[in-house]
Amino acid sequence: MKTLNIYFLLTSLFLFGTNFDGFSQLNEGFEGTFPPIGWTVFDNGVQQNRSWQQATRNPLTGGNHAFVNFSSSTTEFAEDWLVTPQLLPDANNNTLTFQATNEYDGNTGSIYTVRVSNQSQTNPADFEVVTTLTETSLTPNAYQSFSVDLSLYIDQAIYVAFVLENSRGDSFLLDDVNGPPTAVIASVPNCDIQLTEPAPITWNNVPINTSLKWTPATGNPTGYQIQIGTSQGGDEFLTLTDIGTATQFESPVLYDYNTRYYITIVPYNNIGSAMDCRETEFTTELNPSITLDCGGTSTSVSASFCYSNNDNRSFLLSANNGSQVNLTFNSGSVENNQDALRIYDGIDNSGTLLNPDRLYGNGGDLTGITYISSTSNLFLELTSDATNSCRTGEQAEILFTASCSSCSLPVLSATEGLCDLNNNEFFIDLEVTDLGGSSITVIDDQLGEFRTISTTGVTPIGPFSYGAVKLYIAPSNNQCVPFELPAVRVDGCPPINDECSNATVLNESADDTCGNSLTGTTNFATAIENDGICTSDALDVWYSFTPLTTADYKVNVSTVEGEIFYAVYEGTCGDVLLLSSDCLNEIETSLSFDASQTYLIQVFSLDNFIPITFDICVYPDEVCPPDYTGTNTLTGTVSAGTITDFETDGVLSSSQIIDVNTDYDSANCIELLPDFEVVLGAEFDAFIDGCNEGNGGNQLQNENVEQR
């Protein structure tokens, strides 16, 4: 730490005519303006909205105190500084006292330091720590008195700083600071700011979205006013405006192209505003917009522009006689994947975007790329992020040439054509409504094949493997610049049964084992058409089913993962009637079908268009037979050992095994085939009870009958 002798301080004060109030004891209760005259506040850039301020929440004396709130950042340490005016400790007065407290119980790691500098008031590196307090040193919401020994700095001009360091810690309250004499300068600030942005070297070519930044004035300014005009001393662009303590200004509107601006920045403090502040002048860049005189001499014009960080500019290239406009980029670059240059065919960004797949040129390089309008205008729009621009030196200035065209452009479009599900390939349908000449040559970027088309209509191009394919068009008219069409992308073909009219036939299964089930998917299915009525925003496929008998059936649609929905209709495609009570997403539902009709089943997924794979089957819904009791008398003779159906009462002449095959398990509707042995010559009763409270079906009632 260097020593600044008081003799030299006083000498400089009087030699340079500074308005000096003399020495008075430091006695600050923070009741007036804040920061007080000669004091200053700054921070390390973390949580700047929580710097030192004047507060009324808990003063020790008077109605105010100094206060800095804790930082809410949990990832960075905030460092907030409150610095005294220059102090002049001497042999009789070299102690600084202050009252301090915090607000919260506990210890969150906040550090309170008192630091001294005999160099600068605002450079943290010039300060050394003389006192350190922690949250445990303070009593929340109860001021304590602290003193700092400044005897090491006798006869030196020093600054004392109160600093809070914390990361979501505690606050710092300060009041009644007393100490050695101060050298308070009672004058307005100096008018010595320097404009640093735009940089002086660019003052003849300033971007229209430039920021204004300047060095702080000396002489204890507490704020700045700014005025901007297009004439000397004028305020045509911005009248004198107070912007507070900021040392930068962002205009809410763009500056005009090719215009000279006059900027005046006036520092002020509680004494008043600085006097006779000089203007700074700069001229903005030329307008890159071009109007071509296609009937005169200006049929080709070259221009350039150098974009800046956070740029958002647009300009227009026009032909005055309705001709088309050719645009060729001679050189230049943009930050790849960050700074986008969009080219629209028209007078604004509502026109067709000509470069949806080339917003960043070729990996950022624009050199050699050409476009041609179908109208008499091309609209260029550039947006950039906060880094790596031309103005900061990372990108090359963009040079381009706009020229009139006598080209008659072909009128055509490329769309997805036939999709070959079996071979995983697709075609592009190139529809030409006007060749613009005798023919066009088409080149694709997947196969690299050249095709000449000399007739209008739809021409299939392909087949191509799944993915994006771009077509390049070279008109036969050599006045036309070759151009590209927006890419056509196909990642998969729709299922065969994507449309209701191509519904897949679903055959009836015999039972719930679903022997005739089919596996389906909504992968690459198109959005629901108007054939169905359950929803209009999903991926769907279709099945048709004709029952073998008029009966109740079960429809089963199941999936391992994801949620699947389905609906069952009667009627024909485009004219359906919902048969199920709702659009279903349960695995299985029962419906009554008529053998004389064919039904339609629509299966779809609603989960943000995520494709679902599923299994589907339809099978009869069996019902247990009604109860039956037999009381018929047995007639005739039955030989021993005969197997017969038995539904009567009677007497047998020999032992037999009776096979009762008309009984059912009522709970599960399963046919049972129990065998019964009947003792020779015994009377017995027999009846059939097909669904009798779970008794298992037919029962032979007699003590001489046992189940075998």
Side-chain angles (χ1 to χ4, degrees):
M1 180 181 293
K2 298 180 181 178
T3 300
L4 178 63
N5 192 283
I6 294 178
Y7 169 78
F8 291 108
L9 171 67
L10 294 177
T11 300
S12 62
L13 291 173
F14 290 114
L15 280 179
F16 294 101
T18 303
N19 191 2
F20 179 58
D21 271 357
F23 301 116
S24 60
Q25 294 296 117
L26 177 66
N27 183 8
E28 186 56 61
F30 307 104
E31 300 299 328
T33 59
F34 193 90
I37 296 174
W39 291 65
T40 191
V41 169
F42 62 90
D43 54 51
N44 67 342
V46 177
Q47 291 282 296
Q48 291 178 303
N49 61 333
R50 297 195 173 201
S51 295
W52 281 96
Q53 58 187 285
Q54 187 182 61
T56 60
R57 58 204 300 157
N58 186 16
L60 177 64
T61 60
N64 300 298
H65 61 95
F67 169 77
V68 59
N69 205 353
F70 66 88
S71 168
S72 62
S73 173
T74 58
T75 58
E76 300 178 280
F77 248 66
E79 194 174 284
D80 294 284
W81 293 63
L82 173 64
V83 189
T84 68
Q86 201 169 60
L87 304 180
L88 306 172
D90 56 34
N92 298 318
N93 196 337
N94 51 55
T95 300
L96 181 141
T97 64
F98 62 93
Q99 304 288 326
T101 185
N102 58 359
E103 290 188 303
Y104 304 103
D105 293 324
N107 186 359
T108 55
S110 302
I111 301 173
Y112 310 89
T113 54
V114 181
R115 310 186 190 195
V116 175
S117 166
N118 61 7
Q119 295 292 304
S120 162
Q121 189 184 25
T122 56
N123 184 1
D126 292 336
F127 285 80
E128 62 182 6
V129 176
V130 295
T131 297
T132 299
L133 303 174
T134 65
E135 292 177 44
T136 58
S137 307
L138 302 174
T139 301
N141 299 304
Y143 281 94
Q144 296 170 256
S145 180
F146 298 91
S147 64
V148 179
D149 181 7
L150 300 176
S151 59
L152 292 177
Y153 306 99
I154 291 175
D155 295 334
Q156 297 182 43
I158 63 171
Y159 301 95
V160 177
F162 299 91
V163 183
L164 169 62
E165 300 172 84
N166 80 102
S167 174
R168 202 164 183 82
D170 206 338
S171 53
F172 194 7
L173 289 74
L174 186 67
D175 208 351
D176 294 348
V177 181
N178 297 287
T182 65
V184 177
I185 300 172
S187 65
V188 298
N190 299 312
C191 229
D192 55 358
I193 69 103
Q194 296 291 327
L195 196 66
T196 58
E197 188 176 320
I201 196 172
T202 69
W203 285 357
N204 287 325
N205 186 27
V206 171
I208 60 172
N209 68 329
T210 188
S211 300
L212 300 181
K213 295 182 181 179
W214 56 89
T215 58
T218 60
N220 301 307
T222 58
Y224 298 89
Q225 294 174 307
I226 185 170
Q227 175 179 300
I228 305 174
T230 54
S231 61
Q232 288 186 342
D235 61 358
E236 296 88 351
F237 189 82
L238 180 71
T239 57
L240 191 65
T241 300
D242 190 335
I243 59 171
T245 59
T247 55
Q248 67 180 56
F249 174 72
E250 302 285 346
S251 172
V253 296
L254 295 175
Y255 296 92
D256 291 329
Y257 284 111
N258 196 27
T259 302
R260 193 161 192 81
Y261 287 94
Y262 299 82
I263 295 90
T264 304
I265 300 169
V266 182
Y268 65 84
N269 60 20
N270 64 306
I271 304 301
S273 297
M275 304 296 291
D276 301 323
C277 293
R278 69 178 185 273
E279 292 179 324
T280 301
E281 306 172 25
F282 63 71
T283 302
T284 52
E285 61 191 325
L286 294 175
N287 189 348
S289 294
I290 295 172
T291 299
L292 298 167
D293 183 10
C294 294
T297 57
S298 299
T299 60
S300 180
V301 177
S302 295
S304 65
F305 65 94
C306 185
Y307 73 93
S308 56
N309 294 338
N310 297 313
D311 213 333
N312 185 3
R313 69 174 63 204
S314 59
F315 50 92
L316 186 65
L317 310 178
S318 300
N320 66 350
N321 66 346
S323 297
Q324 294 160 312
V325 178
N326 287 329
L327 169 64
T328 300
F329 289 98
N330 305 311
S331 62
S333 65
V334 295
E335 185 182 7
N336 192 33
N337 296 324
Q338 301 296 327
D339 302 340
L341 178 60
R342 293 174 171 84
I343 316 294
Y344 295 94
D345 188 359
I347 61 172
D348 55 31
N349 58 11
S350 65
T352 301
L353 181 63
L354 298 180
N355 64 328
D357 302 312
R358 198 176 277 182
L359 301 180
Y360 315 101
N362 294 318
D365 185 12
L366 301 175
T367 305
I369 299 177
T370 62
Y371 297 97
I372 185 170
S373 69
S374 62
T375 66
S376 58
N377 301 281
L378 285 175
F379 182 78
L380 281 66
E381 186 176 67
L382 185 140
T383 55
S384 66
D385 64 5
T387 59
N388 299 326
S389 68
C390 174
R391 290 284 178 176
T392 55
E394 290 82 9
Q395 306 303 326
E397 184 176 13
I398 298 172
L399 284 75
F400 64 91
T401 298
S403 59
C404 303
S405 172
S406 59
C407 165
S408 178
L409 276 178
V411 179
L412 42 77
S413 63
T415 57
E416 178 184 346
L418 176 67
C419 203
D420 186 350
L421 184 62
N422 295 325
N423 295 308
N424 296 326
E425 294 177 330
F426 71 99
F427 288 80
I428 293 176
D429 283 346
L430 184 65
E431 183 175 6
V432 181
T433 55
D434 186 349
L435 288 167
S438 60
S439 64
I440 58 172
T441 300
V442 181
I443 310 101
D444 69 84
D445 67 347
Q446 187 182 103
L447 304 176
E449 295 181 354
F450 288 71
R451 304 168 181 84
T452 299
I453 297 176
S454 55
T455 59
T456 58
V458 177
T459 301
I461 308 292
F464 302 106
S465 300
Y466 291 154
V469 177
K470 189 179 295 182
L471 300 181
Y472 299 89
I473 310 299
S476 58
N477 184 345
N478 58 15
Q479 295 296 315
C480 295
V481 177
F483 60 94
E484 63 188 53
L485 296 177
V488 176
R489 184 178 188 89
V490 176
D491 293 315
C493 293
I496 293 295
N497 56 342
D498 182 50
E499 303 293 336
C500 178
S501 57
N502 293 325
T504 297
V505 174
L506 180 62
N507 293 320
E508 178 178 317
S509 295
D511 50 40
D512 62 359
T513 60
C514 288
N516 288 328
S517 71
L518 296 176
T519 298
T521 181
T522 61
N523 195 23
F524 298 114
T526 56
I528 283 177
E529 64 273 11
N530 292 329
D531 291 316
I533 60 177
C534 274
T535 181
S536 60
D537 189 22
L539 308 178
D540 70 329
V541 291
W542 291 82
Y543 294 86
S544 66
F545 170 72
T546 304
L548 298 178
T549 60
T550 297
D552 291 339
Y553 282 80
K554 285 193 174 180
V555 179
N556 183 294
V557 182
S558 60
T559 180
V560 174
E561 185 176 357
E563 191 173 25
I564 200 74
F565 295 79
Y566 61 98
V568 181
Y569 304 101
E570 56 183 349
T572 58
C573 293
D575 183 21
V576 294
L577 176 65
L578 186 63
L579 184 62
S580 50
S581 60
D582 199 354
C583 301
L584 306 164
N585 70 340
E586 61 261 25
I587 293 176
E588 193 169 69
T589 189
S590 295
L591 295 169
S592 295
F593 287 155
D594 190 325
S596 65
Q597 292 195 40
T598 295
Y599 297 88
L600 293 168
I601 305 174
Q602 178 191 31
V603 182
F604 53 93
S605 57
L606 294 174
D607 191 9
N608 294 324
F609 285 88
I610 296 175
I612 304 293
T613 299
F614 58 89
D615 292 318
I616 182 171
C617 74
V618 180
Y619 60 89
D621 187 0
E622 295 183 54
V623 178
C624 193
D627 291 352
Y628 171 77
T629 301
T631 57
N632 299 324
T633 301
L634 178 67
T635 59
T637 302
V638 182
S639 303
T642 301
I643 305 299
T644 182
D645 292 341
F646 191 75
E647 300 178 357
T648 61
D649 302 331
V651 178
L652 298 182
S653 58
S654 61
S655 297
Q656 300 183 48
I657 295 176
I658 309 299
D659 182 11
V660 183
N661 61 3
T662 56
D663 56 339
Y664 284 83
D665 175 352
S666 62
N668 298 301
C669 221
I670 299 174
E671 184 177 8
L672 302 174
L673 300 174
D675 292 334
F676 292 88
E677 182 177 0
V678 182
V679 180
L680 179 65
E683 293 187 10
F684 62 90
D685 299 322
F687 69 92
I688 296 173
D689 183 11
C691 294
N692 184 22
E693 301 294 334
N695 288 329
N698 291 340
Q699 296 184 9
L700 300 177
Q701 292 186 336
N702 188 278
E703 60 183 5
N704 294 315
V705 178
E706 63 176 338
Q707 185 171 351
R708 177 171 171 172

